[in-house]
Amino acid sequence: MGGKTIIDPFYHSPALIVFIPLVSSLIIASVGFISKKLQHILFFIALLITAFFGILMSYEIYTVGDWSFAIELGSMRLTSGDHVFMMYFLADGVSAMATIILSITSVAAGLYSYTNLMEEEDSITRYYILFLITVAGTHGMIFSANLFNRFLWFQVVIASTSALVAFRKYDDRAFEAALKYLVLGCIAWFFFLFSIGIAYGVHGEMQFYELAEGITGGFADRIAMAILIVVMAFKSGAVPVHFVKPDAYSRAPSSVTVVMVVVSQAGLWTMFRIVFNVYGTAVNTYIVGWVVIMLGILSAFIGVSMALVQRSIKRLMAYHAISQTGYMLLGVGVGIAVMGTTDMGIFGRDAMVGGIFHIINHAIYKGLLFLTAGAIIYKTGERDLNKMGGLGRSMKWTMLFFIIGALAISGVPPLNGFTSKLIIYRSVYMFNPVLSVVAMLVSILTLASFYKVFHSVFMGASREKYNDIKEEPMTMLVGMGILAFAVILLSIFPGRAIAILVEPAVEALGVIS
Amino acid sequence: MNLYFEIVDWNPLFMIFMACFVMFVIYILYRMGNSTYRKTKYKGEPFLSGNPPVGEWKDDLEPINIRGDSFYWGFIQALKFYFKPLIAGHTGRLNDYIFWFIITLVVVMVVLSFA
């Protein structure tokens, strides 16, 4: 740790990446009376600048190494003494990969939302502000090197995403979904605080690496870890704590859903950090690994099963998001189960690489699929697959983007979904062949489910009510195009992507083969 | 661009190259076909004994759309014992969501207390 010094210009860049969207949201709120178009331009510029610094900082991490720092926010004198409020940042392989994912998806979603949401003129300012706060909060979660800081950002993200789910004021179901998301988020938030309290009460520390030094694997440690794992499983949408995800994902505007997928992944990153960087081998990793594996297998299988019977296009995709989370948990779960053994070098590290590579793949192709679903809903006003058909004639670009996303998520070679799944299948097979067979079965069902969507939406005879439909506006197409291009890049150069993005993240989690 | 792990070797460009090669071979075979072939009215249409000629029959067809629900209907019916409780479990009620959260928390806490 400590590849940088304070005089380095990029030293504080993680803080900048968090604060740029926050400050921009205030500016955007104040220019609303001038022009809505100006607001959107500023909104997009803010996302671009954040993404630029995110990618620049990631480059610094890959070339110079990890570093961490703290910013003092203020102090308070209480009867127990003087208390200083600090914000701790950690820039390493995990934060670099997570910020790159968020940068790409938020820029694509921001561009896409220009025409997609312009009709909602009354509430568009609210959208810009909440979207930027969500981006800032997710970056905050990604960079926090301290449990309590992460807990605060978790709270920010829960509040802002709940409000974004209820963005369309006239949609009762969106309100219901937002309320459920908020209530469950608050319950999870409470338990998160409770587990931090246990850890702090026992060890007097909340920073990851300082806390890790004190962890002995005692009963209190194990209970705190169990709570943290379940809270982060909820955040990532793992079965059986997944129920609110389909509700929220399906009713939120599609550009928001794209970012919500990455927000969910911040939960996964937190879980991995806690298990690897904080608890490590102080606990029985075989049992912890199997808990994560079971969460993964349940998510993969139940997620895809529920997707198969859905008739709402976005709800179907939401269940697939749950199912894909299962692959990530499965890969990393195997890595956890063999942590500290010789198997880590044989297949554990590969399983981790597969699981983590699947995180970036999933964010990109699932984002693309949600955007195509949003484009279809935007043009037809319809979510029900039973009422669609023949749209392939009028929405050719959308159909092409959908095919790219659907083939990638189904693990069809040579697309990126295949690469990460191949690594997972092979490495998980060496751990337990049954798990690998279930993972392959899930992939077949995923393909079947997306064929259903493809045929229901794009194939068949044209329906009379859709005769006048034309292709979406350019900004929406470009938004989808960015993600489709990223899918193709990751498909053609998986070795490069793993070497640049995934390997540093695996190393940052302290995995030594 | 290549993936060389302990257990996985994969090169997407090789696969794309092979796909192009196979398409090229198909094209060569196509070019080697009978160039005197002329398409007439019913040539190439499926022959269904007893039915009217396909060319005339086709004109009477209504435009067809397969509903989303119709896909895999048989598969889902055959596995009703699995799908029915699964769908019923997703009630949409917040109380149930909280119930599952607490149950999961308890189970994981009990299991990990032995970790």
Side-chain angles (χ1 to χ4, degrees):
Chain A
M1 199 66 57
K4 272 193 177 297
T5 55
I6 196 160
I7 52 164
D8 198 297
F10 291 104
Y11 187 74
H12 289 112
S13 54
L16 205 61
I17 292 163
V18 174
F19 290 115
I20 286 171
L22 279 181
V23 174
S24 307
S25 66
L26 293 174
I27 297 168
I28 286 167
S30 56
V31 299
F33 66 94
I34 302 172
S35 158
K36 297 286 176 197
K37 202 170 179 178
L38 175 68
Q39 262 190 323
H40 190 86
I41 291 167
L42 287 177
F43 166 70
F44 189 61
I45 288 172
L47 289 176
L48 272 182
I49 294 172
T50 311
F52 173 75
F53 276 105
I55 290 165
L56 214 59
M57 188 215 66
S58 305
Y59 179 75
E60 284 291 299
I61 291 172
Y62 299 136
T63 50
V64 179
D66 307 348
W67 76 94
S68 64
F69 65 95
I71 293 176
E72 188 180 324
L73 293 180
S75 60
M76 188 182 279
R77 178 159 290 176
L78 300 173
T79 48
S80 55
D82 288 340
H83 293 268
V84 180
F85 296 103
M86 305 284 281
M87 195 157 279
Y88 296 90
F89 292 90
L90 172 61
D92 65 1
V94 169
S95 32
M97 183 176 164
T99 197
I100 284 177
I101 298 171
L102 184 56
S103 299
I104 296 169
T105 50
S106 61
V107 166
L111 191 62
Y112 177 93
S113 60
Y114 177 67
T115 32
N116 186 229
L117 295 174
M118 260 305 171
E119 292 161 8
E120 321 274 348
E121 210 171 288
D122 295 342
S123 35
I124 197 74
T125 306
R126 192 156 48 90
Y127 168 81
Y128 294 142
I129 293 168
L130 290 169
F131 193 98
L132 287 170
I133 291 173
T134 305
V135 171
T138 312
H139 276 304
M141 268 188 87
I142 289 165
F143 290 121
S144 293
N146 175 295
L147 272 176
F148 191 72
N149 285 170
R150 206 164 270 239
F151 157 78
L152 290 177
W153 289 117
F154 181 84
Q155 182 189 12
V156 169
V157 170
I158 289 279
S160 60
T161 44
S162 303
L164 278 170
V165 171
F167 170 68
R168 293 192 170 100
K169 287 188 279 188
Y170 46 84
D171 185 353
D172 294 344
R173 287 189 183 185
F175 257 105
E176 188 189 325
L179 189 66
K180 286 177 188 171
Y181 193 76
L182 187 64
V183 171
L184 266 172
C186 288
I187 291 170
W189 174 72
F190 166 75
F191 279 105
F192 192 179
L193 183 62
F194 184 60
S195 63
I196 293 172
I198 295 173
Y200 188 70
V202 175
H203 304 291
E205 272 298 343
M206 281 190 285
Q207 276 170 266
F208 291 146
Y209 289 101
E210 279 77 354
L211 186 58
E213 286 168 14
I215 293 284
T216 54
F219 183 74
D221 284 341
R222 283 176 271 147
I223 293 299
M225 181 179 66
I227 298 170
L228 284 167
I229 286 177
V230 174
V231 168
M232 293 310 150
F234 159 77
K235 192 82 200 82
S236 58
V239 172
V241 281
H242 64 292
F243 292 94
V244 78
K245 290 281 168 183
D247 296 351
Y249 281 9
S250 62
R251 302 318 293 193
S254 289
S255 50
V256 173
T257 319
V258 173
V259 174
M260 283 176 82
V261 170
V262 187
V263 169
S264 298
Q265 294 183 345
L268 278 180
W269 290 121
T270 306
M271 187 199 284
F272 301 160
R273 270 225 192 275
I274 288 162
V275 174
F276 282 98
N277 294 150
V278 178
Y279 288 90
T281 48
V283 290
N284 184 337
T285 51
Y286 188 73
I287 298 177
V288 179
W290 266 104
V291 167
V292 176
I293 289 168
M294 287 319 293
L295 288 171
I297 281 290
L298 281 173
S299 306
F301 202 75
I302 291 180
V304 78
S305 301
M306 283 302 292
L308 213 56
V309 294
Q310 298 304 311
R311 63 160 62 162
S312 160
I313 184 168
K314 275 195 78 181
R315 209 172 162 79
L316 182 146
M317 289 186 182
Y319 276 110
H320 276 295
I322 291 165
S323 173
Q324 297 300 306
T325 302
Y327 281 100
M328 303 160 208
L329 289 169
L330 180 60
V332 178
V334 169
I336 296 169
V338 298
M339 197 196 314
T341 67
T342 50
D343 283 343
M344 182 54 108
I346 301 167
F347 59 83
R349 190 183 163 87
D350 284 357
M352 293 275 302
V353 167
I356 291 177
F357 189 36
H358 204 67
I359 292 180
I360 186 166
N361 288 339
H362 174 248
I364 304 290
Y365 59 59
K366 178 53 74 178
L368 175 61
L369 286 167
F370 272 123
L371 292 188
T372 56
I376 294 159
I377 296 167
Y378 175 71
K379 279 288 170 183
T380 61
E382 191 59 71
R383 292 163 182 271
D384 192 340
L385 291 172
N386 285 348
K387 296 174 182 168
M388 296 184 195
L391 291 172
R393 290 174 188 80
S394 47
M395 300 173 77
K396 291 188 176 63
W397 281 104
T398 309
M399 183 170 72
L400 176 70
F401 293 140
F402 177 86
I403 291 171
I404 292 171
L407 292 179
I409 196 173
S410 307
V412 175
L415 290 159
N416 57 345
F418 168 77
T419 315
S420 48
K421 284 182 182 180
L422 177 70
I423 302 169
I424 293 171
Y425 296 153
R426 293 290 300 271
S427 48
V428 171
Y429 184 85
M430 294 182 80
F431 178 73
N432 186 322
V434 177
L435 297 175
S436 193
V437 171
V438 174
M440 286 182 218
L441 182 64
V442 169
S443 217
I444 295 165
L445 293 175
T446 306
L447 183 61
S449 174
F450 273 96
Y451 178 70
K452 165 182 159 177
V453 180
F454 175 70
H455 203 288
S456 310
V457 176
F458 298 109
M459 296 288 108
S462 295
R463 290 182 187 269
E464 205 179 321
K465 59 182 174 179
Y466 301 139
N467 279 349
D468 299 333
I469 283 185
K470 289 188 174 57
E471 196 63 82
E472 299 85 357
M474 190 51 81
T475 51
M476 287 172 78
L477 288 177
V478 173
M480 289 187 274
I482 291 171
L483 295 182
F485 182 67
V487 168
I488 291 166
L489 269 188
L490 288 169
S491 304
I492 298 175
F493 305 107
R496 274 288 168 83
I498 288 173
I500 296 170
L501 299 171
V502 181
E503 291 282 0
V506 173
E507 275 163 28
L509 290 172
V511 177
I512 303 155
S513 53
Chain B
M1 143 183 354
N2 295 348
L3 282 183
Y4 296 121
F5 285 94
E6 296 279 345
I7 48 170
V8 177
D9 287 348
W10 162 243
N11 186 340
L13 285 185
F14 180 72
M15 187 188 168
I16 294 167
F17 172 76
M18 285 307 290
C20 292
F21 178 73
V22 168
M23 283 163 77
F24 178 71
V25 171
I26 292 169
Y27 177 73
I28 296 291
L29 291 173
Y30 168 76
R31 293 288 296 174
M32 286 164 67
N34 184 1
S35 59
T36 58
Y37 176 85
R38 292 283 176 270
K39 197 171 181 191
T40 55
K41 194 175 178 187
Y42 301 128
K43 233 178 197 174
E45 298 283 3
F47 173 74
L48 300 171
S49 174
N51 285 329
V54 177
E56 292 160 31
W57 185 35
K58 211 158 55 180
D59 299 337
D60 303 333
L61 289 176
E62 297 268 324
I64 294 174
N65 278 105
I66 303 172
R67 287 158 50 93
D69 277 351
S70 304
F71 277 89
Y72 316 122
W73 178 86
F75 177 77
I76 291 160
Q77 284 295 311
L79 295 174
K80 217 172 178 179
F81 64 91
Y82 167 66
F83 281 105
K84 206 174 170 185
L86 193 64
I87 296 164
H90 289 75
T91 57
R93 286 202 300 265
L94 186 58
N95 288 359
D96 295 346
Y97 295 2
I98 296 169
F99 168 79
W100 279 104
F101 183 86
I102 301 295
I103 289 290
T104 311
L105 196 63
V106 171
V107 170
V108 173
M109 275 166 72
V110 169
V111 173
L112 289 190
S113 65
F114 297 104

